[in-house]
Amino acid sequence: MKKIAIVFTILFFGFVNLNKADEGMWIPLLIEKFNIEDMQEKGFKLSAEDIYSINKACIKDAIVIFGRGCTGDLVSDQGLLLTNHHCGYGAIQKHSSIEHDYLTDGFWAMNKTQELPNPNLTVKFLNRIEDVTDKVLGNVAENLSEKEREVIIVANIEKIKTEAIGETQLIASVKPFYYGNQYYLFVYEEYKDVRLVGAPPSAIGKFGGDTDNWVWPRHTGDFSIFRIYADKDNKPAEYSPDNVPYKPKKFLPISIKGINEGDFTWVLGYPGGTMQYITSDAIKLIKDVRNPDRIMLRDKRLDVMNAYMDRNDTIRIKYASKHARISNSWKRWKGEIIGLERLNAIDNKVEFEKEFNEWASNHNEYKNVVSELTNIYGNIEKYVVAYDYYREAIMAVEIVNFAARFNDLIKMKDADIEKELRDIKIEELKKRMQDFYKDYIQSIDQEIFNELLPMYYSNVDQEFIPDLSGLGLSDNYSQFIESLFSSTIFNNKDKMLELLNSESEDNFKVLENDPVFKFYKTFNELYTNEVFPVYDSLDNRANNLYRNYMKGIMEMQKHKVLFPDANFTMRVSYGEVKGSYPRDGVEYIYQTTLDGIIEKDNPNIYDYDVPDKLKDLYKTKDYGMYEVDGTVPVCFIATNHTTGGNSGSPVLDSEGNLIGLNFDRVWEGIMSDMVFDPEQSRNISLDIRYVLFIVDKFAGAQHLINEMTIIE
Ligand code: ARG
Ligand code: GLU
């Protein structure tokens, strides 16, 4: 029966989704054309128009870009929004102080007047998507050089954006898809008054911490709650006490009916970036060179931090957020290596490239593209390695990174820049300074510096080793570093403040001649002159080759619908609730529960210290309507193809009701940015019933539940 359907579809449309089961992040505008039939066959009960439409309110109107890298979901007619705890973390942290530590204790606004504004936090609604490929590429002649081509494309894009916005305050963005074979326009409306409404204590919102990160089974209550405010006409406005809760065109009903293995589920959100079509050489570079290098460098950083954090609670709090950031990618890189290895990813790509080259032997324009890419990878490797070391060894030293922030200000000295502009910069730097010193511990930084600098010197190509003898470096690194710390001003908050507050022109000299700034500047100049230009030009060429390669792949696989790599534009992923078999003798069931939290409980381990109040609820079994089989569901896994940026994305049921919040992926399938494995790749979601349980029973914030539409 199914076979007939596929044959029929090919005849009818000329293409079919032949991707590995559930692989793909699809453009909402094209769901009708490419996916809806497949989705409906798998259990989806709505239409493509219900997801994305410019004619009526639809689910896309309930989804926002939250901040700079996450997704948020509207859940009430008063602008109430859910996202992850790790997405709201910065906002929660900024409102925290010794007197009220919202990270540790959680925060709940018991009425709207208690909701906390967050300058600089915005959300963006997507108004519309348009395929502008013809407008971008229409007047680009075949025989142009890449430079000429680029100039025309940039001009076309500017024109499209200007026309799309007109006199409005909307934001337009045109992005390349399939490596520049297609272009799409996205028009957004940005709301600027977003207030913090609720957050569980970190012992719930970050439960399991870095130990459980990227791992199943999982018990993290990774959510936080915000509210969007608008002016009296429901339009975007800067923060004002007169603003009123935003009335969304659409918000998501919440289903607590429960989920079962095999249920259809889908995700609508903002995946940040994937690399599905890179060649075997690119995989090799990542798996065998870049990831091992970066892991090794971060190992050192994390080791030093861990030693300090284990010893002292104050230090642990100060470094928690830095540690989480560093360890997040570090752990993912490790998992990627194992996954790519297990899947034989390189051999499979080589096999595919053989096939491609055979086909290309009759298609002139693609004949050499793979081998030219191989050449590029051969040439670019040492620059990539150097660049990774620059970022992960040199700029990873906090004091060096901090000093680098002053580069722009120092440059303003020479240019004839108005005082006003300078003052703005200075104010900005003062703010940064507060953040920097609040969580800075020199001995940690110095130990890290001691570890990383020698590694840079022994592992990076000789031509990228700057001469630091003028600054006093001989072969004793730690002595050199000690001398930097004892003579710099950047580790002295009072002196720095005094300097920034005084008007003297000599201040520029002090900064410019500071040994740490000079250290940074020496590297920066070397990289600006010797690395970035070559790197950029090779990278550009690779991108142009990929454009051609991608075009070839699409031509060769005419009947296959290929999804474009993620690029932080709205996408639909769909799949089913499903466990997996990660290793011989081990099964991952699809769901975790409150019982598992209690199992992990250990007051002596920071990541597993369950709050007493939650333990009390467990003892009294006060679960209300969130109870299932004597417990409360906490997290579940499904086969949706997701990546970073999908954090906070709604996980929906076949009728478009919210059943979970996406926040992570399972370790064994983590290489899915490059190769998706239907057997192992799973997204991890927070079960919405756990969210409601915490809001209702733990926080006693029933007024929030009352705002939502709950389907029992
Ligand atoms: N792995 C998830 C993501 O990539 C969660 C990260 C935050 N949590 C953490 N323990 N670092 O963003
Ligand atoms: N935690 C990720 C984020 O912040 C989502 C998990 C993933 O990478 O799939 O976007």
Side-chain angles (χ1 to χ4, degrees):
M1 190 62 203
K2 211 162 187 179
K3 265 219 174 91
I4 295 173
I6 288 175
V7 173
F8 180 72
T9 320
I10 292 177
L11 290 179
F12 217 77
F13 293 102
F15 48 67
V16 66
N17 182 359
L18 291 174
N19 288 285
K20 284 179 268 178
D22 304 333
E23 180 180 21
M25 302 173 176
W26 306 95
I27 306 175
L29 181 67
L30 304 181
I31 292 294
E32 177 69 39
K33 190 167 159 193
F34 293 138
N35 310 95
I36 194 67
E37 253 181 274
D38 186 39
M39 289 173 78
Q40 286 170 345
E41 196 174 307
K42 288 174 172 160
F44 188 51
K45 304 227 174 66
L46 305 177
S47 69
E49 280 251 299
D50 293 323
I51 302 176
Y52 174 89
S53 166
I54 47 169
N55 303 314
K56 61 165 196 180
C58 56
I59 295 174
K60 77 125 169 71
D61 297 320
I63 315 300
V64 293
I65 295 179
F66 181 87
R68 267 173 301 175
C70 284
T71 310
D73 332 321
L74 277 286
V75 290
S76 91
D77 63 356
Q78 302 171 53
L80 200 66
L81 174 156
L82 292 178
T83 187
N84 288 148
H85 186 267
H86 76 264
C87 296
Y89 197 88
I92 305 164
Q93 187 176 41
K94 285 218 175 75
H95 289 294
S96 296
S97 63
I98 309 274
E99 298 81 60
H100 37 245
D101 182 354
Y102 299 142
L103 280 178
T104 305
D105 306 328
F107 168 79
W108 305 98
M110 284 304 165
N111 55 56
K112 294 202 179 75
T113 59
Q114 291 176 359
E115 297 175 357
L116 301 171
N118 302 285
N120 299 326
L121 177 63
T122 69
V123 297
K124 291 193 196 79
F125 287 90
L126 174 64
N127 274 11
R128 66 187 180 92
I129 309 175
E130 186 186 329
D131 181 349
V132 290
T133 308
D134 291 342
K135 292 186 193 169
V136 175
L137 299 178
N139 62 346
V140 177
E142 287 281 335
N143 51 0
L144 298 182
S145 73
E146 285 298 339
K147 270 241 164 64
E148 294 165 328
R149 199 172 180 277
E150 183 70 25
V151 170
I152 300 179
I153 288 177
V154 168
N156 289 345
I157 287 178
E158 275 320 303
K159 185 154 168 262
I160 294 166
K161 281 172 30 180
T162 314
E163 282 172 8
I165 296 170
E167 301 292 298
T168 66
Q169 297 291 311
L170 299 173
I171 297 173
S173 147
V174 171
K175 290 213 172 164
F177 284 67
Y178 303 102
Y179 290 95
N181 282 290
Q182 297 177 16
Y183 285 84
Y184 287 83
L185 163 72
F186 297 82
V187 180
Y188 299 103
E189 183 162 35
E190 182 174 43
Y191 280 77
K192 297 176 176 177
D193 186 353
V194 183
R195 302 186 197 168
L196 177 62
V197 174
S202 292
I204 289 174
K206 269 190 67 163
F207 183 77
D210 292 337
T211 315
D212 284 4
N213 193 22
W214 300 117
V215 168
W216 186 255
R218 191 64 159 278
H219 300 89
T220 313
D222 198 345
F223 78 96
S224 57
I225 309 179
F226 288 79
R227 190 189 304 280
I228 307 171
Y229 281 77
D231 70 11
K232 298 211 161 53
D233 303 319
N234 209 31
K235 285 280 151 209
E238 296 292 339
Y239 167 77
S240 156
D242 299 333
N243 286 348
V244 293
Y246 168 72
K247 278 214 162 313
K249 286 190 209 115
K250 166 91 191 168
F251 66 90
L252 301 172
I254 295 173
S255 168
I256 58 168
K257 281 196 287 200
I259 50 177
N260 290 299
E261 182 128 32
D263 282 357
F264 179 85
T265 155
W266 60 294
V267 174
L268 188 61
Y270 283 89
T274 56
M275 301 169 278
Q276 307 289 333
Y277 303 101
I278 56 176
T279 61
S280 54
D281 295 303
I283 302 251
K284 212 183 284 169
L285 184 58
I286 291 170
K287 180 174 88 59
D288 297 341
V289 181
R290 296 197 63 197
N291 282 9
D293 277 356
R294 293 182 295 183
I295 289 165
M296 177 178 65
L297 291 165
R298 287 197 180 191
D299 272 337
K300 298 284 178 210
R301 270 208 274 177
L302 290 168
D303 283 350
V304 174
M305 286 184 186
N306 286 335
Y308 277 87
M309 288 166 80
D310 286 348
R311 247 183 282 152
N312 177 315
D313 260 6
T314 320
I315 298 184
R316 191 179 38 66
I317 292 168
K318 281 186 187 230
Y319 270 69
S321 162
K322 295 176 197 176
H323 186 279
R325 205 174 45 239
I326 296 165
S327 93
N328 193 38
S329 300
W330 165 81
K331 200 165 174 183
R332 176 168 49 76
W333 293 328
K334 288 186 170 193
E336 281 174 356
I337 295 178
I338 300 171
L340 292 169
E341 200 79 62
R342 180 176 53 76
L343 288 179
N344 268 325
I346 296 180
D347 291 347
N348 291 338
K349 287 267 179 184
V350 167
E351 210 39 56
F352 176 80
E353 285 151 21
K354 260 198 213 136
E355 211 180 295
F356 181 87
N357 281 337
E358 252 159 55
W359 172 84
S361 62
N362 306 316
H363 298 77
N364 243 332
E365 49 176 323
Y366 308 116
K367 242 186 203 146
N368 301 320
V369 66
V370 173
S371 63
E372 283 175 36
L373 275 166
T374 301
N375 276 338
I376 300 253
Y377 282 108
N379 292 330
I380 207 172
E381 179 166 329
K382 70 176 182 189
Y383 296 95
V384 172
V385 170
Y387 199 179
D388 280 340
Y389 269 84
Y390 178 67
R391 271 187 301 227
E392 298 287 335
I394 303 303
M395 298 307 281
V397 178
E398 292 179 70
I399 195 102
V400 176
N401 199 301
F402 180 55
R405 307 280 167 202
F406 289 78
N407 198 21
D408 286 344
L409 179 69
I410 290 167
K411 275 196 216 143
M412 287 178 170
K413 175 198 72 157
D414 303 321
D416 230 348
I417 300 237
E418 284 167 44
K419 186 164 173 315
E420 206 176 314
L421 282 178
R422 248 198 247 169
D423 287 346
I424 293 175
K425 187 80 210 169
I426 288 175
E427 280 314 305
E428 187 191 308
L429 286 168
K430 275 196 215 156
K431 278 202 203 102
R432 254 186 197 283
M433 255 169 62
Q434 298 299 345
D435 290 343
F436 176 79
Y437 291 118
K438 186 162 92 51
D439 293 329
Y440 182 67
I441 293 168
Q442 179 173 317
S443 47
I444 296 184
D445 200 28
Q446 187 159 350
E447 268 186 47
I448 288 176
F449 205 168
N450 283 339
E451 293 282 351
L452 297 183
L453 190 60
M455 289 172 78
Y456 185 96
Y457 273 71
S458 35
N459 298 342
V460 174
D461 210 282
Q462 201 52 40
E463 58 186 298
F464 307 129
I465 306 270
D467 178 10
L468 289 175
S469 56
L471 269 180
L473 176 64
S474 52
D475 47 8
N476 189 332
Y477 294 102
S478 59
Q479 204 173 39
F480 168 69
I481 289 165
E482 177 62 41
S483 79
L484 290 184
F485 275 107
S486 60
S487 49
T488 183
I489 179 178
F490 285 104
N491 57 359
N492 188 324
K493 182 178 174 183
D494 296 335
K495 275 199 198 159
M496 282 297 287
L497 255 184
E498 195 185 313
L499 185 131
L500 285 187
N501 281 332
S502 91
E503 302 268 320
S504 162
E505 287 290 320
D506 285 346
N507 292 339
F508 284 111
K509 282 211 194 78
V510 174
L511 293 173
E512 207 172 6
N513 292 324
D514 187 277
V516 172
F517 184 78
K518 278 188 167 163
F519 174 86
Y520 153 72
K521 200 66 192 166
T522 312
F523 277 92
N524 180 259
E525 269 167 14
L526 178 82
Y527 272 76
T528 308
N529 297 329
E530 311 289 334
V531 181
F532 300 147
V534 190
Y535 177 91
D536 287 346
S537 103
L538 287 169
D539 191 49
N540 253 334
R541 269 179 51 208
N543 269 322
N544 296 331
L545 288 168
Y546 270 119
R547 187 177 76 235
N548 199 27
Y549 181 47
M550 189 77 232
K551 189 161 165 246
I553 295 176
M554 286 163 48
E555 215 172 297
M556 178 174 97
Q557 306 189 329
K558 256 193 222 96
H559 294 297
K560 186 168 170 181
V561 195
L562 299 167
F563 66 96
D565 268 319
N567 56 2
F568 205 55
T569 60
M570 189 189 275
R571 299 294 177 91
V572 175
S573 309
Y574 56 96
E576 59 183 314
V577 174
K578 197 175 179 180
S580 63
Y581 296 90
R583 297 182 288 287
D584 186 36
V586 178
E587 178 183 1
Y588 285 164
I589 57 172
Y590 70 93
Q591 192 163 54
T592 59
T593 66
L594 186 56
D595 294 21
I597 295 181
I598 302 302
E599 262 172 31
K600 281 181 177 169
D601 177 38
N602 184 342
N604 299 319
I605 301 177
Y606 174 72
D607 286 342
Y608 294 136
D609 188 4
V610 179
D612 289 338
K613 191 159 177 199
L614 191 55
K615 284 194 258 195
D616 290 344
L617 288 168
Y618 174 77
K619 277 191 208 117
T620 57
K621 301 275 177 272
D622 182 9
Y623 301 152
M625 62 179 174
Y626 317 109
E627 186 264 353
V628 181
D629 299 335
T631 186
V632 179
V634 174
C635 293
F636 66 91
I637 50 178
T639 59
N640 301 298
H641 193 178
T642 54
T643 187
N646 270 126
S647 276
S649 297
V651 184
L652 302 146
D653 69 7
S654 61
E655 290 164 359
N657 303 314
L658 187 66
I659 54 171
L661 294 184
N662 185 76
F663 72 96
D664 211 0
R665 276 174 288 163
V666 169
W667 177 252
E668 291 80 7
I670 214 170
M671 63 292 147
S672 61
D673 287 352
M674 288 166 273
V675 187
F676 183 86
D677 177 8
E679 301 297 326
Q680 304 293 347
S681 294
R682 298 286 181 276
N683 67 314
I684 304 180
S685 308
L686 179 56
D687 194 301
I688 204 67
R689 289 168 293 183
Y690 186 57
V691 175
L692 300 182
F693 166 72
I694 294 295
V695 172
D696 185 344
K697 298 289 180 177
F698 182 88
Q702 287 86 11
H703 61 289
L704 298 176
I705 307 275
N706 294 340
E707 265 188 68
M708 305 173 187
T709 299
I710 312 270
I711 301 173
E712 289 183 56

